[in-house]
Amino acid sequence: MNDVVKRSNGALNNVGLKNTELKKAGLKATLPRLKILELMENSEGRHMSAEDIYKKLLELGEDVGLATVYRVMTQFEAVNLVSRHHFDSGLSVFELNEGSHHDHLVCEKCGKVEEFVEESIERTQHKIAKKFGFKMTDHSLYIYGICPACQEESSRT
Amino acid sequence: MNDVVKRSNGALNNVGLKNTELKKAGLKATLPRLKILELMENSEGRHMSAEDIYKKLLELGEDVGLATVYRVMTQFEAVNLVSRHHFDSGLSVFELNEGSHHDHLVCEKCGKVEEFVEESIERTQHKIAKKFGFKMTDHSLYIYGICPACQEESSRT
DNA sequence: GCTGATAATGATAATATTTCGCATTTCTAT
DNA sequence: ATAGAAATGCGAAATATTATCATTATCAGC
Ligand SMILES: [Mn+2]
Ligand SMILES: [Mn+2]
Ligand SMILES: [Zn+2]
Ligand SMILES: [Zn+2]
């Protein structure tokens, strides 16, 4: 028997690759973890709450508990497979660590998230931490506002 | 009878001033609101959770419910008397709006909070929002790290 | 200074998010 | 294939915050 299913179905591709990805991170390649990784790679919005992920798994007919989603996210975060954000909503939002570090613009009306990189800010942050004698471990920068689409919507009353 | 008590006791000073402050903000000058304002002005740490505030009020023998603290914080935030932060801990942290806008450095070990102002970052943020067509309403920047005291503590094992 | 309309409060229940406990299942190194 | 360790799903618990509602306090108008 082979874990890697015949390649007639795109959705079941590179199961072997993700398997390796997890092993390399020191995590057992369990079904829930594989499913979650796959889902996060193939989803529209890169930024998802635990509930979002859980619901999508249900839609796909997968039997994964919400507690497992939370556990797996915490583990993925620990091995740097995902980042956790705390937007103003208060709940945790996760995203796959694919590209490199970036910060976020969040629309307060529709929740749309844009990503940006600004090296000058990154450098300045380190400078500030140093000035206060802090050993910087992390940082979070969120810019909140109204996205172009939502501005337009409220203008045509 | 007069609301402003004789000035023998420092703790009861400027009740009249805070009274006016609240009225000016369009809020009724109720006892809980006055007590909370006073507490926030005279407290050590400028950054407090609702629970922190609630406990301090209890210590002072005031009879204020936790729900009221949350309600009052939300109202104070709405009239710009306080700011609400979401540090990574997950819960809301409030601070009196006394000086001008600033951002925060947070120690992940002991929770110590340092404040800083960095005009270049402020300007760059606006520039980024504009680039994406967002009408910027707010932003939050938290730098996490280990404060000098905590570094020392962990070095002398 | 009283009074009544109105708004605010405290206690408690409810909600939302996240974690825990534990019996059962799944992985994986042999 | 098997056994031991680790992970899972479920439900209960813990946290943080908000809503409900009967009671109380505030304050504009007298
Ligand atoms: Mn992102
Ligand atoms: Mn501050
Ligand atoms: Zn929008
Ligand atoms: Zn510290």
Side-chain angles (χ1 to χ4, degrees), chain A residues 26-69:
Chain A
L27 296 173
K28 274 212 254 185
T30 67
L31 221 40
R33 300 212 261 234
L34 289 167
K35 292 300 177 189
I36 290 175
L37 256 191
E38 184 175 314
L39 184 155
M40 292 187 84
E41 282 180 10
N42 302 343
S43 272
E44 307 276 297
R46 294 178 33 70
H47 308 88
M48 286 178 283
S49 69
E51 189 82 32
D52 290 341
I53 294 168
Y54 173 65
K55 281 195 196 132
K56 288 211 176 190
L57 286 168
L58 287 191
E59 281 171 25
L60 296 174
E62 303 296 342
D63 179 27
V64 176
L66 178 58
T68 298
V69 175

Side-chain angles (χ1 to χ4, degrees), chain A residues 43-109:
Chain A
S43 272
E44 307 276 297
R46 294 178 33 70
H47 308 88
M48 286 178 283
S49 69
E51 189 82 32
D52 290 341
I53 294 168
Y54 173 65
K55 281 195 196 132
K56 288 211 176 190
L57 286 168
L58 287 191
E59 281 171 25
L60 296 174
E62 303 296 342
D63 179 27
V64 176
L66 178 58
T68 298
V69 175
Y70 274 105
R71 272 184 304 235
V72 168
M73 283 304 112
T74 301
Q75 294 153 349
F76 280 9
E77 189 189 12
V79 298
N80 222 41
L81 276 173
V82 309
S83 298
R84 179 195 304 254
H85 304 293
H86 293 98
F87 297 152
D88 262 3
S89 58
L91 48 64
S92 291
V93 171
F94 304 91
E95 81 172 304
L96 213 49
N97 281 338
E98 292 180 303
S100 48
H101 168 78
H102 55 260
D103 290 303
H104 298 88
L105 260 162
V106 182
C107 177
E108 291 193 321
K109 279 268 185 300

Side-chain angles (χ1 to χ4, degrees), chain B residues 94-112:
Chain B
F94 304 91
E95 79 173 304
L96 213 50
N97 282 338
E98 291 180 303
S100 49
H101 168 78
H102 55 261
D103 291 303
H104 298 88
L105 261 161
V106 183
C107 176
E108 292 193 319
K109 279 270 187 296
C110 70
K112 183 179 167 69

Side-chain angles (χ1 to χ4, degrees), chain B residues 59-73:
Chain B
E59 281 171 25
L60 296 174
E62 303 296 342
D63 179 27
V64 176
L66 178 57
T68 298
V69 175
Y70 274 105
R71 272 184 303 236
V72 168
M73 283 303 113

